[in-house]
Amino acid sequence: MKEGNEMKQFTLSPLDAQAGAEAKAYLDTLTKPVGSLGKLEEIVIALAEIQGRKKPVLNQLGILVFAADHGITAEGISAFPQQVTRQMVSNMAGGGAAINVFGRQQQAEFTLVDVGVMGAAFTEPVLDRKIRQGTDNFLHREAMTQEEVEKAISMGFEEALVLFEKGVDCLVVGEVGIGNTTTSSAVVAAITGIDPAELVGYGTGISSEQHLHKITVVREALNRHQPVASDGYDVLRKVGGLELAAMSGAMLAAASKRIPVILDGFISTAAACAAETISEGAAGYMLLGHQSMEPGHQKAFEYLGKKPVLSLDMRLGEGTGAAVAYSVIQSAVRMVNEMATFESAGVSGKNE
């Protein structure tokens, strides 16, 4: 590989275990029984290791949504027609999607990027970064070329850096793309070796017959292309999506800057699996916002060693579950920064 190979050789700083240990020790001095704030304390420790400080800080959420179409929709694997991708991008550009609502609630910096939606370029506020008109139908051909994968990853990396320059210190990476649960099933199956039957769900509401067909499509595609599990570039090229590749790039950018990523549902976590194979250690910079209803999501996040912050039976995508989880993550950060210690409050500690 040429230029893209430098991304493959890109190495990340290890997590700061010392900062995590200091955060744990400090949490135990706060005016509460040890461990009584449960997962909130785990979030603080994880953020301390990511940011390299005992008391992590989150000031500005960024939401970065990538949109693209998928050739695999020609196989009848979605309940919605392909043009819904374009329609949803327009809705999101107008501020009417769920991710817009939750983004406004969090006062997030929001960026929407067309990386491969069928049709003409959108007008602002959608950024035109179209690499091609959707992917090929990966049941019959590789989804895209090596150059296109590299372009999508690099573009996602650069768009994340733009947000970081605006002061974003926590990132949600979302997506729009009819057919992308099928693509994500193929990507996760390729990387983990898990049988597609355990990963493929009902997506946006397909029938039982379509569900069985979707499993068959993923199995046949993997048998045809034989993607290399340890090579994220190979997996994305053969059975991936343009938005998944861009999402992986954005996640790698965040990890390179020690900025936490809040993962969303199945598509987001599939992109995270690809990012981890491209640059080992990337997953250490990720928190899991919620547990999706998609069956493959649990398999994917268990592969990454993650536990969800929330479980709200969500399955929308766009980054919505991650954006909602940000409120809880903020609560954890405020707790460690604002709570009194036993000593400062003059409160007696536990009886020895």
Side-chain angles (χ1 to χ4, degrees):
M1 294 178 220
K2 42 186 194 321
E3 295 173 5
N5 206 31
E6 65 190 40
M7 181 73 77
K8 197 163 175 96
Q9 296 169 344
F10 185 78
T11 52
L12 305 173
S13 301
L15 295 171
D16 191 334
Q18 177 63 31
E22 290 175 4
K24 170 71 169 71
Y26 182 72
L27 286 167
D28 291 347
T29 70
L30 300 180
T31 47
K32 61 176 181 56
V34 170
S36 59
L37 286 174
K39 285 185 180 177
L40 293 179
E41 299 191 27
E42 294 176 15
I43 290 168
V44 169
I45 294 165
L47 289 173
E49 292 181 345
I50 289 169
Q51 294 185 344
R53 58 178 115 185
K54 178 174 75 175
K55 294 183 181 181
V57 175
L58 293 180
N59 291 313
Q60 181 62 60
L61 179 65
I63 299 174
L64 184 51
V65 177
F66 297 102
D69 276 310
H70 296 256
I72 198 68
T73 56
E75 300 302 321
I77 45 73
S78 176
F80 287 88
Q82 189 171 65
Q83 60 261 36
V84 171
T85 302
R86 189 169 192 87
Q87 292 162 357
M88 279 303 300
V89 170
S90 296
N91 181 41
M92 205 173 277
I99 190 61
N100 300 116
V101 175
F102 301 143
R104 287 193 292 268
Q105 178 186 350
Q106 310 293 11
Q107 298 181 307
E109 283 281 349
F110 181 76
T111 301
L112 175 57
V113 185
D114 171 12
V115 64
V117 179
M118 298 293 288
F122 293 91
T123 56
E124 291 186 354
V126 183
L127 299 184
D128 178 16
R129 304 288 186 267
K130 200 191 300 284
I131 290 166
R132 58 176 287 175
Q133 298 275 338
T135 51
D136 276 329
N137 180 346
F138 63 71
L139 180 60
H140 304 294
R141 295 173 295 281
E142 292 184 353
M144 49 190 144
T145 67
Q146 179 67 25
E147 182 182 12
E148 288 161 350
V149 173
E150 292 171 5
K151 276 185 179 178
I153 290 172
S154 296
M155 186 274 295
F157 195 100
E158 293 301 320
E159 291 301 336
L161 292 183
V162 170
L163 280 178
F164 303 153
E165 288 168 6
K166 294 180 179 179
V168 164
D169 55 10
C170 185
L171 185 66
V172 167
V173 187
E175 89 302 321
V176 183
I178 294 298
N180 61 15
T181 57
T182 302
T183 300
S184 296
S185 297
V187 166
V188 173
I191 290 171
T192 65
I194 295 170
D195 184 346
E198 296 183 50
L199 300 171
V200 172
Y202 286 80
T204 49
I206 57 175
S207 66
S208 297
E209 191 176 63
Q210 280 178 301
H211 180 241
L212 292 174
H213 174 60
K214 190 172 169 180
I215 293 168
T216 301
V217 165
V218 172
R219 276 197 185 129
E220 289 183 1
L222 293 172
N223 287 336
R224 176 185 293 271
H225 299 302
Q226 298 290 315
V228 179
S230 60
D231 185 344
Y233 285 95
D234 191 66
V235 172
L236 288 168
R237 184 181 87 240
K238 290 174 175 173
V239 296
L242 289 155
E243 83 276 43
L244 266 77
M247 293 167 82
S248 297
M251 292 171 185
L252 290 169
S256 75
K257 297 294 185 181
R258 305 192 75 100
I259 288 174
V261 174
I262 310 175
L263 296 179
D264 189 43
F266 188 34
I267 290 86
S268 172
T269 309
C273 289
E276 177 65 19
T277 61
I278 289 167
S279 194
E280 187 177 354
Y285 289 88
M286 303 172 189
L287 302 176
L288 177 61
H290 77 118
Q291 179 168 349
S292 167
M293 290 288 282
E294 278 289 310
H297 189 223
Q298 183 163 347
K299 302 290 185 183
F301 71 65
E302 286 175 350
Y303 172 79
L304 293 173
K306 301 298 173 185
K307 295 179 184 176
V309 173
L310 302 173
S311 183
L312 298 174
D313 293 349
M314 296 175 71
R315 55 181 179 86
L316 174 59
E318 302 178 2
T320 49
V324 171
Y326 182 68
S327 293
V328 176
I329 294 166
Q330 271 189 316
S331 295
V333 170
R334 294 193 68 146
M335 172 264 290
V336 73
N337 281 284
E338 298 178 25
M339 267 185 81
T341 63
F342 282 103
E343 183 178 3
S344 70
V347 176
S348 300
K350 186 178 178 181
N351 289 330
E352 294 299 329

